[in-house]
C-alpha cells in the first residue's frame, strides 16, 4: 500500500465528514420526531463494488446490514444513470425490518462510473401493517407492513409517480412519510455534491485510490486488534423472552467464538429455531451485532469501512432466531434479538478478555408504538425506543438512562413529543437503584409515564422482563424492566413484555426500563 499516512488520515476524515453531513441534512429536513429528534437513521458511502468506504457514527444495527442492502440494489439494477435512486426495505434483501427504509444512489465522478454509491437508512414511524407504528405482534412478514423490493424510485432524476403513490397509499401517515423520504433524498444529494467537490480538487484517481487504501488500513488494524486476544474457543448462552398465547418461553441464543491468529469465527449452532412471532432476526442483523462488538474492541480511531468485516466469519444455521427464513416475522428481531446477540458475543469474549468486557447492559430497546385516529380524522403513529442502564465496565460504573449497543438514538424530548402527539408526559425520571451492585455498579434505567389524550392502540416489544441483565466477575444483575397500564380510575395492570392493547383517553402507560449489570464483587457486605 503506497498511501501517504498524512493524506490517508485526511481522507479518513473527508469521507467520514461527507457521511456526517449527509446525516445532518437528513435530520434537518426530516418531518417526523423519530428521525428529526431521535436521530434514528444512518448514512454511508460505498465504492463501485458496493464495499463500505465510510459510515457516520449513527446506528450500530445498520452498519453490517447496509452493505447487504447496497449489494441487493446492485444485483437488481442492470444499468445505473445519474439521478437514479433505488429504494428498498425487504429484510430478506439486506434490510433489517420493514420500518427501516434504505435508499441507494450512484455517484458519477466521470463518464466511466458509477464510482461511488451513497446510501441512507431511516426508521419510518409507520409503513402500514397490523398496528400503528408497524411493530406488531406479527406471525409473518406480510402482517408487518409494505414490503419494498429493490426498485428505482427515481430514474435519471425523474420520480416514479406510480411507486410514490403506492408507498404513500399503504401507510397511515402519508404526509409524514412524504417528508421523511424527501429528506433521505436530500441527504443523498448532499453526499453526491461533496464527493464531486472532493474529486474536483484532488482528482478522481486519487480519491478512488484512498478509498481503497482506507479499507486496507482498517482491515490491517482490525486484524492487529484480534491478535491481542488469546487464541481459543469461547462460548456463552443467553435467552430471548418469547411470548405466545400468554406464556413466556425462554429461547436460547448460543455462540461459540473461535479466535485463531488474526481472524474470528462466530458459530451460532444450538440457537433456538425461528418462532411464530416477530423475534426472528435476518442474517444481516447478526452480522451487524458481531461486527459492532469487534468494532468496540478495535477502538474508534480505526475508520469504519468494509475492511473491518474482512477478518470476521459467521456460521449461522438457517431457520433459527438469528438467521430466519422467509416469510418469518422479523419486526422484533431487529430491535430486540439484535441486543441479545450482542450480549452473548460479549459474554463469550468475557472468558477471553475478562479485564476488558463490561457486564450486560439493559439488553432491550423497550420499543413502544402508540397510534390511532384523532376526532378530525387525522391519523398519528408514534414510535420510540427507551434508554436504560449501561453495564458496568472493569474500570467504571455504568451510565444511567442511556441507549446502549445496537441502538444509538436519543429519547424524544418531552416538548417535541407533546407537540406532535396527543400525549402528556406525567413522569420522566431515572429509576434509582435498578443498576446491579458490584465493585462498579451498573447504570440505572429510567421511568417514562405517558397519559394518552386520545383513544389509541399501544404495542410493546420489550425484553429483560423475566431474565435480568447479568453481572460479571461477581457483580450483581440489574433489575428487570416493568410496564404498567394505569386506568383512569387508578387500577393498575402489569403488561407482558410483548403485547398490544386498545386503550381509552385518560389511560396512563408507565415503562420502567432495566438497569445494567454490576462488575466485580462489591467492597461492602
Amino acid at each position: 500500500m503506497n498511501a501517504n499516512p498524512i493524506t490517508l488520515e485526511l481522507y479518513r476524515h473527508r469521507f467520514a465528514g461527507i457521511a456526517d453531513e449527509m446525516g445532518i441534512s437528513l435530520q434537518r429536513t426530516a418531518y417526523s420526531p423519530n428521525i428529526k429528534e431521535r436521530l434514528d437513521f444512518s448514512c454511508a458511502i460505498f465504492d463501485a463494488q458496493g464495499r463500505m468506504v465510510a459510515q457516520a457514527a449513527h446506528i450500530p444495527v445498520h452498519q453490517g446490514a447496509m452493505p447487504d442492502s447496497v449489494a441487493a440494489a446492485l444485483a437488481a439494477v442492470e444499468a445505473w444513470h445519474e439521478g437514479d435512486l433505488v429504494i428498498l426495505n425487504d429484510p430478506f434483501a439486506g434490510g433489517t425490518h420493514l420500518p427501516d427504509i434504505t435508499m441507494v444512489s450512484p455517484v458519477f465522478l466521470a463518464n466511466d462510473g458509477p464510482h461511488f454509491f451513497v446510501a441512507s437508512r431511516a426508521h419510518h414511524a409507520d409503513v402500514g401493517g397490523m398496528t400503528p407504528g408497524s411493530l406488531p405482534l406479527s406471525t409473518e412478514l406480510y402482517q408487518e407492513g409494505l414490503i419494498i423490493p429493490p426498485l428505482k424510485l427515481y430514474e435519471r432524476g425523474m420520480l416514479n409517480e406510480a411507486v410514490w403513490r403506492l408507498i404513500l397509499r399503504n401507510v397511515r401517515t402519508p404526509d409524514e412519510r412524504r417528508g421523511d423520504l424527501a429528506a433521505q433524498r436530500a441527504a443523498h444529494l448532499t453526499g453526491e455534491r461533496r464527493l464531486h467537490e472532493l474529486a474536483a480538487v484532488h482528482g478522481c484517481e486519487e480519491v478512488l485510490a484512498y478509498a481503497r487504501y482506507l479499507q486496507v488500513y482498517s482491515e490491517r488494524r482490525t486484524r492487529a486488534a484480534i491478535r491481542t486476544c488469546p487464541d481459543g474457543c469461547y462460548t456463552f448462552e443467553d435467552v430471548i423472552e418469547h411470548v405466545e398465547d400468554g406464556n413466556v418461553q425462554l429461547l436460547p441464543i448460543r455462540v461459540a467464538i473461535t479466535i485463531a491468529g488474526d481472524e474470528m469465527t462466530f458459530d451460532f449452532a444450538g440457537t433456538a429455531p425461528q418462532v411464530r412471532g416477530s423475534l426472528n432476526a435476518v442474517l444481516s442483523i447478526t452480522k451487524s451485532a458481531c461486527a459492532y462488538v469487534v468494532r468496540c474492541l478495535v477502538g474508534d480511531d480505526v475508520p469504519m469501512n468494509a475492511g473491518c468485516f474482512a477478518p470476521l466469519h459467521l456460521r449461522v444455521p438457517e431457520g433459527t432466531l438469528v438467521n430466519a427464513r422467509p416469510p418469518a416475522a422479523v419486526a422484533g428481531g431487529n430491535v430486540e434479538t439484535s441486543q441479545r446477540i450482542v450480549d452473548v458475543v460479549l459474554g463469550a469474549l468475557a472468558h477471553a478478555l475478562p479485564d476488558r468486557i463490561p457486564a450486560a447492559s439493559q439488553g432491550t430497546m423497550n420499543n413502544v408504538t402508540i397510534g390511532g385516529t384523532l376526532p378530525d380524522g387525522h391519523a398519528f403513529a408514534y414510535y420510540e425506543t427507551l434508554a436504560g442502564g449501561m453495564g458496568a465496565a472493569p474500570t467504571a460504573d455504568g451510565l444511567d438512562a442511556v441507549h446502549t449497543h445496537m441502538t444509538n438514538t436519543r429519547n424524544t424530548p418531552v416538548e417535541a413529543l407533546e407537540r406532535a402527539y396527543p400525549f402528556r408526559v406525567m413522569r420522566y425520571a431515572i429509576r434509582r437503584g435498578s443498576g446491579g451492585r458490584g465493585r462498579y455498579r451498573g447504570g440505572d434505567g429510567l421511568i417514562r409515564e405517558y397519559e394518552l389524550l386520545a383513544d389509541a392502540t399501544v404495542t410493546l416489544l420489550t425484553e429483560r422482563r423475566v431474565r435480568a441483565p447479568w453481572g460479571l466477575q461477581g457483580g450483581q444483575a440489574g433489575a428487570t424492566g416493568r410496564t404498567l397500564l394505569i386506568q383512569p380510575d387508578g387500577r393498575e395492570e402489569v403488561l407482558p413484555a410483548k403485547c398490544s392493547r386498545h386503550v381509552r383517553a385518560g389511560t396512563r402507560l408507565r415503562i420502567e426500563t432495566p438497569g445494567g449489570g454490576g462488575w466485580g464483587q462489591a467492597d461492602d457486605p
Side-chain angles (χ1 to χ4, degrees):
M1 189 174 78
N2 299 316
N4 180 291
I6 295 176
T7 307
L8 185 72
E9 185 69 8
L10 289 172
Y11 269 99
R12 171 198 172 181
H13 291 286
R14 285 166 178 161
F15 286 124
I18 292 171
D20 280 332
E21 190 174 353
M22 288 175 63
I24 292 169
S25 296
L26 178 49
Q27 177 194 2
R28 289 181 174 176
T29 56
Y31 192 92
S32 68
N34 189 57
I35 297 175
K36 181 178 289 293
E37 302 288 352
R38 290 189 60 247
L39 311 185
D40 197 346
F41 62 81
S42 294
C43 297
I45 302 170
F46 296 81
D47 65 17
Q49 289 73 43
R51 299 172 301 204
M52 184 185 290
V53 174
Q55 182 182 21
H58 290 149
I59 308 299
V61 76
H62 295 168
Q63 68 182 10
M66 284 182 73
D68 289 346
S69 286
V70 174
L74 267 62
V77 175
E78 293 183 3
W80 291 93
H81 309 96
E82 288 202 49
D84 286 356
L85 184 147
V86 166
I87 186 171
L88 68 150
N89 73 345
D90 188 344
F92 296 98
T96 45
H97 61 175
L98 297 182
D100 283 344
I101 295 180
T102 301
M103 291 184 177
V104 181
S105 300
V107 180
F108 292 79
L109 301 182
N111 295 327
D112 58 342
H115 300 90
F116 290 100
F117 291 89
V118 291
S120 66
R121 173 169 289 174
H123 184 114
H124 291 254
D126 187 89
V127 291
M130 294 169 61
T131 56
S134 307
L135 287 176
L137 303 185
S138 48
T139 58
E140 60 179 356
L141 182 66
Y142 306 109
Q143 298 170 334
E144 297 180 350
L146 178 67
I147 304 170
I148 309 171
L151 52 84
K152 286 187 181 181
L153 181 61
Y154 283 82
E155 186 157 13
R156 299 180 188 268
M158 298 297 295
L159 175 65
N160 186 328
E161 295 282 356
V163 172
W164 187 250
R165 290 195 303 271
L166 178 67
I167 293 171
L168 298 183
R169 185 64 184 89
N170 280 276
V171 301
R172 293 176 177 84
T173 50
D175 289 342
E176 191 173 87
R177 297 289 69 71
R178 182 183 290 109
D180 288 345
L181 291 170
Q184 282 187 254
R185 182 169 184 252
H188 287 221
L189 296 175
T190 297
E192 293 171 30
R193 184 167 59 252
R194 293 295 181 249
L195 286 169
H196 276 286
E197 292 170 354
L198 192 63
V201 174
H202 300 284
C204 182
E205 184 176 342
E206 179 180 294
V207 172
L208 293 173
Y210 273 90
R212 181 61 187 142
Y213 291 156
L214 281 168
Q215 293 165 341
V216 173
Y217 173 72
S218 291
E219 179 178 348
R220 190 173 65 198
R221 290 287 305 275
T222 302
R223 290 186 181 279
I226 294 173
R227 280 196 296 270
T228 67
C229 306
D231 284 359
C233 183
Y234 308 95
T235 62
F236 196 80
E237 176 182 320
D238 205 338
V239 296
I240 201 87
E241 300 167 6
H242 174 53
V243 179
E244 187 169 359
D245 299 328
N247 299 314
V248 179
Q249 303 171 14
L250 300 182
L251 305 178
I253 296 180
R254 296 176 182 146
V255 71
I257 301 176
T258 300
I259 301 173
D262 61 1
E263 298 198 336
M264 194 176 288
T265 300
F266 303 82
D267 190 338
F268 287 88
T271 294
Q274 65 188 62
V275 295
R276 187 176 176 271
S278 72
L279 288 173
N280 307 295
V282 296
L283 183 59
S284 297
I285 292 169
T286 305
K287 288 181 184 178
S288 288
C290 296
Y292 161 76
V293 174
V294 174
R295 174 76 176 159
C296 291
L297 293 175
V298 172
D300 60 6
D301 63 325
V302 176
M304 180 62 202
N305 57 48
C308 300
F309 302 101
L312 311 183
H313 309 282
L314 273 72
R315 297 173 184 161
V316 191
E318 276 195 277
T320 61
L321 281 174
V322 293
N323 186 10
R325 296 189 187 101
V330 298
N334 176 58
V335 289
E336 293 302 297
T337 307
S338 65
Q339 295 283 65
R340 195 64 67 254
I341 296 169
V342 169
D343 286 342
V344 299
V345 171
L346 285 172
L349 289 176
H351 297 304
L353 304 166
D355 296 327
R356 294 178 63 185
I357 302 300
S361 294
Q362 67 160 335
T364 175
M365 296 192 195
N366 301 292
N367 303 270
V368 54
T369 57
I370 306 173
T373 304
L374 298 172
D376 63 4
H378 283 85
F380 66 93
Y382 159 77
Y383 168 69
E384 182 159 25
T385 60
L386 295 179
M390 176 186 286
T395 57
D397 293 340
L399 299 177
D400 299 332
V402 293
H403 288 272
T404 50
H405 297 325
M406 298 307 279
T407 176
N408 189 33
T409 64
R410 299 174 181 172
N411 292 330
T412 306
V414 172
E415 298 83 357
L417 189 156
E418 292 184 340
R419 181 179 182 275
Y421 303 106
F423 312 150
R424 181 180 294 121
V425 178
M426 307 301 291
R427 188 179 181 193
Y428 188 30
I430 292 177
R431 188 187 177 199
R432 298 295 182 187
S434 56
R437 295 179 67 246
R439 184 186 312 164
Y440 297 102
R441 69 166 186 87
D444 288 333
L446 61 75
I447 300 173
R448 181 97 129 169
E449 184 175 318
Y450 313 78
E451 181 183 8
L452 306 184
L453 305 180
D455 295 354
T457 298
V458 175
T459 304
L460 300 169
L461 279 176
T462 66
E463 276 287 318
R464 295 297 194 196
R465 267 51 181 175
V466 176
R467 183 69 63 85
W470 36 264
L472 273 181
Q473 313 302 330
Q476 295 183 4
T480 55
R482 189 173 74 139
T483 306
L484 292 174
L485 196 65
I486 306 167
Q487 301 295 341
D489 62 6
R491 290 181 295 115
E492 295 184 355
E493 176 189 2
V494 178
L495 296 179
K498 286 89 178 167
C499 66
S500 189
R501 292 280 194 279
H502 297 286
V503 300
R504 303 300 299 271
T507 304
R508 285 180 288 155
L509 177 71
R510 182 191 302 160
I511 301 175
E512 302 174 1
T513 68
W519 198 97
Q521 293 280 357
D523 294 332
D524 54 324

